[in-house]
Amino acid sequence: MRVLSLIFLWLLYLSICDGYRLLGLFPFQSKSHFAMAEQLIKGLARKGHQIDVVSSFPLKKPYPNYTDIVTVPITIELVNKISYEIMKRSFSVNPTYAIGTGAGNDLCKLLENPKIKELAQPKNPPYDAVIMEVFAAQCFGIIAHLLKIPMIGIVPIGMLHPWLPHIIGQPENLAFVSNDNLTAPLSFGKRLCNVLCTLHNKWYFDYLTTQVQDRLIRKNFGPDMPSVRELERKLSLILINSHITLHGIQPRTPAVVDVGGLHVQTENETLQPELKKWMDDSKNGFIYFTFGSMMMIETFPREFLKVLYASLGKIAPVRVLMKIPFPEKLPPGLPKNIYISSWLPQIMILKHSNVKLFITHGGLMSMQEAISCGVPMIGIPLFFDQFNNINACVAKNIAIRLDVDTITEKSMDAALNAILKDPLYRENARNLSQRFLDRPMNAINTATYWIEYVIRYGENSLRSPAVDMTWWQLSLVDVFGFLLLCATIVIIVVVFIAQFMLKLIHKDTTTLYSRKLKTN
């Protein structure tokens, strides 16, 4: 017994000594964005690290090493609350404005919260790093600055917004890396649009956020605090929810690490017996249809729902599983082959052997889950990056795109028949799934390794020299200018010498001619 007690104490000692203490700051009130953060935190907790979390989504059940220390009140309810009318009105605004204000300046007002201000005070034991979403509220970097610890960012979407690459020294090549809903290869017109849109979004975001966030930082932490633009340049690492199989080859600094699909976990998910039986009994296969965690399909125009009813009813005996938050709001006439539920365990459904097709709005998290499971898609994008996400899958021949404003029964029938009857889509989806999952380490282990690396070797261990250089130095404007000046000087000297030589030759020729005339 004494030996067993010593072994237990030794193992406990090792687990405590090897673990870091981390602070997670995720105040943005988007459940889909938090999905990546939550799985990252749980993965770190399973490795023995202690994580204190600030978010709007506290865990319903205790999780070892995971502590919700501040719960941010939800001011705008998004889960199952966005109607078609709200979507059209709210998401039609300039995306940069919506992000810079709603996901940036408004969140930075939380720095006035005493519980959040208190996080900037030294702790015992101290925190080893801050992990935060790098979206638009970089003001929270003030906490890492005051605690003098590394700041690690996560990006739940598949690209760095235009205002992010330069803060981490990420090389930009706008000739083939798009910051808008453009797909490669980029024609001259698309490249011109890409450059102009990128420059505009960078300037507009900085214009929107700098003064507001600087004022909030200095109001709550003192007048001598650095600006938000200075704070964001202290990032040590960004974990981005992308992968080369979906988002293509892009230039990357070591401080930007792809961890696409990190959230694809089925831990603690269970299937309701009734739902499991329904899927198992779907011998002819079934289609899974959802517009994500926010949208209410039942509020869409009757014409759109009429198209769905007609087309989905025709494919029986193939069944359809639909997420409908409020089924009572659906119009009458729902086809008998459709099973509806207000909540569905998405990953477990996509993993089922009988699923044939996924109809989605193109949210990146959902698409990565479908790709992981090798399921082809019909994409009906609604807003923001969903158009780009669907376009990327269409280019890889694993999806067909339809548009909510122009969809017809004929186009829906054609899309359903193409994917259900043409095995090429399924084969392509499975091949892409194999490539998506084929990595030296899975996404959560990759993220954990690089977080631990930064903590072990310091906040500047992955820092690119580009962070400390101006745009004109990075673009070699000074070098090319110097070379142009040298070339100009050389040309001037050569021209001067040539003119001088021509004058000498002309003078000699004139002298000889004069002498010849005198002799004659």
Side-chain angles (χ1 to χ4, degrees):
M1 288 297 294
R2 181 177 296 178
V3 173
L4 290 176
S5 299
L6 289 174
I7 292 174
F8 174 78
L9 290 173
W10 179 70
L11 292 173
L12 180 62
Y13 171 79
L14 286 180
S15 66
I16 293 173
C17 288
D18 287 347
Y20 295 117
R21 190 180 183 203
L22 308 171
L23 175 62
L25 301 174
F26 307 103
F28 186 45
Q29 298 174 13
S30 169
K31 184 65 174 176
S32 60
H33 277 233
F34 186 68
M36 178 184 177
E38 181 180 349
Q39 292 304 329
L40 173 62
I41 296 165
K42 287 181 175 179
L44 290 166
R46 290 193 296 271
K47 293 286 186 178
H49 304 303
Q50 307 287 324
I51 302 96
D52 293 339
V53 181
V54 175
S55 79
S56 293
F57 306 99
L59 296 182
K60 296 179 181 178
K61 296 180 180 179
Y63 199 91
N65 300 331
Y66 184 128
T67 305
D68 290 296
I69 57 171
V70 179
T71 299
V72 178
I74 294 179
T75 55
I76 302 177
E77 184 62 55
L78 297 176
V79 178
N80 293 334
K81 293 295 184 182
I82 305 299
S83 67
Y84 179 83
E85 182 181 351
I86 293 175
M87 177 198 75
K88 283 293 187 181
R89 185 174 65 248
S90 301
F91 296 129
S92 61
V93 300
N94 185 323
T96 303
Y97 174 81
I99 294 169
T101 54
N105 298 345
D106 292 347
L107 287 183
C108 289
K109 295 175 184 176
L110 291 170
L111 293 177
E112 300 174 352
N113 186 320
K115 292 183 179 179
I116 292 180
K117 289 176 68 173
E118 199 273 333
L119 295 174
Q121 300 298 320
K123 303 292 184 296
N124 187 20
Y127 288 117
D128 296 292
V130 165
I131 303 175
M132 55 184 277
E133 181 176 352
V134 182
F135 194 31
Q138 279 72 274
C139 58
F140 286 91
I142 189 63
I143 295 176
H145 171 75
L146 291 172
L147 294 178
K148 296 181 174 60
I149 55 177
M151 177 169 55
I152 296 165
I154 69 168
V155 176
I157 63 172
M159 66 176 188
L160 294 180
H161 281 296
W163 49 87
L164 294 178
H166 72 281
I167 70 177
I168 197 73
Q170 170 72 18
E172 280 188 288
N173 193 321
L174 299 178
F176 66 92
V177 179
S178 173
N179 282 313
D180 206 341
N181 295 321
L182 304 172
T183 54
L186 300 183
S187 63
F188 171 78
K190 288 182 177 179
R191 283 182 283 121
L192 178 62
C193 177
N194 197 31
V195 171
L196 294 178
C197 289
T198 298
L199 293 175
H200 170 267
N201 288 335
K202 285 181 180 180
W203 171 84
Y204 190 43
F205 178 84
D206 287 352
Y207 169 78
L208 279 174
T209 61
T210 300
Q211 290 187 358
V212 175
Q213 296 191 23
D214 286 354
R215 183 170 64 251
L216 289 168
I217 290 169
R218 288 160 185 166
K219 173 185 175 183
N220 291 285
F221 296 96
D224 298 328
M225 293 296 103
S227 70
V228 67
R229 302 282 80 91
E230 293 173 306
L231 288 173
E232 64 188 6
R233 294 168 72 87
K234 296 185 178 183
L235 269 170
S236 300
L237 170 69
I238 289 181
L239 304 172
I240 182 172
N241 191 21
S242 66
H243 191 262
I244 57 172
T245 55
L246 185 58
H247 298 97
I249 305 297
Q250 299 184 22
R252 283 277 191 262
T253 175
V256 177
V257 178
D258 289 324
V259 291
L262 182 148
H263 72 287
V264 184
Q265 308 285 335
T266 56
E267 185 183 29
N268 297 328
E269 280 201 358
T270 57
L271 278 173
Q272 301 166 345
E274 180 185 355
L275 176 60
K276 184 178 186 304
K277 183 178 185 306
W278 184 90
M279 292 193 296
D280 291 342
D281 291 344
S282 301
K283 302 304 181 183
N284 294 291
F286 69 90
I287 292 171
Y288 176 47
F289 190 158
T290 177
F291 277 170
S293 62
M294 298 192 299
M295 297 304 305
M296 297 189 292
I297 297 177
E298 58 273 27
T299 65
F300 277 56
R302 289 298 177 97
E303 294 78 12
F304 177 81
L305 295 176
K306 183 179 178 182
V307 168
L308 296 185
Y309 280 21
S311 292
L312 295 176
K314 292 178 188 176
I315 62 174
V318 176
R319 292 173 160 185
V320 181
L321 177 60
M322 289 185 72
K323 175 185 172 291
I324 304 291
F326 302 99
E328 67 277 6
K329 294 183 179 181
L330 282 173
L334 187 72
K336 294 182 180 180
N337 64 327
I338 297 181
Y339 179 102
I340 59 176
S341 176
S342 59
W343 177 86
L344 292 166
Q346 183 159 294
I347 300 176
M348 298 191 73
I349 291 169
L350 291 171
K351 283 186 174 183
H352 199 278
S353 58
N354 288 338
V355 67
K356 300 288 186 183
L357 166 64
F358 180 32
I359 302 178
T360 174
H361 64 314
L364 182 59
M365 302 289 185
S366 293
M367 286 183 50
Q368 288 177 340
E369 291 164 9
I371 290 170
S372 294
C373 300
V375 180
M377 291 168 272
I378 291 177
I380 308 176
L382 303 177
F383 49 82
F384 292 167
D385 66 325
Q386 295 166 9
F387 297 89
N388 209 25
N389 296 338
I390 293 295
N391 289 342
C393 289
V394 171
K396 299 182 185 307
N397 211 22
I398 64 167
I400 294 174
R401 172 177 162 176
L402 299 173
D403 292 313
V404 67
D405 295 325
T406 60
I407 190 171
T408 63
E409 186 178 336
K410 182 178 180 181
S411 64
M412 186 69 176
D413 288 347
L416 288 169
N417 289 328
I419 294 185
L420 291 176
K421 295 180 180 179
D422 187 348
L424 184 62
Y425 286 96
R426 185 79 177 188
E427 183 181 342
N428 289 339
R430 287 174 174 168
N431 288 339
L432 185 62
S433 174
Q434 182 178 357
R435 292 175 56 203
F436 184 73
L437 299 174
D438 190 358
R439 316 179 191 191
M441 290 190 293
N442 64 29
I444 188 65
N445 287 338
T446 300
T448 301
Y449 172 82
W450 287 109
I451 289 172
E452 293 173 344
Y453 184 95
V454 167
I455 296 173
R456 282 197 302 269
Y457 300 114
E459 60 184 9
N460 294 325
S461 53
L462 299 175
R463 185 181 177 87
S464 169
V467 176
D468 300 316
M469 300 175 72
T470 62
W471 68 268
W472 50 268
Q473 289 174 320
L474 285 172
S475 302
L476 296 176
V477 172
D478 52 346
V479 173
F480 288 122
F482 175 76
L483 293 176
L484 181 61
L485 177 63
C486 290
T488 302
I489 293 172
V490 169
I491 291 171
I492 291 172
V493 170
V494 169
V495 169
F496 176 80
I497 293 173
Q499 288 178 339
F500 179 76
M501 294 300 295
L502 286 172
K503 286 180 181 179
L504 288 177
I505 293 171
H506 178 71
K507 183 178 179 181
D508 291 343
T509 303
T510 303
T511 303
L512 288 172
Y513 182 72
S514 299
R515 288 177 180 177
K516 186 175 182 181
L517 286 175
K518 289 179 180 181
T519 303
N520 293 334

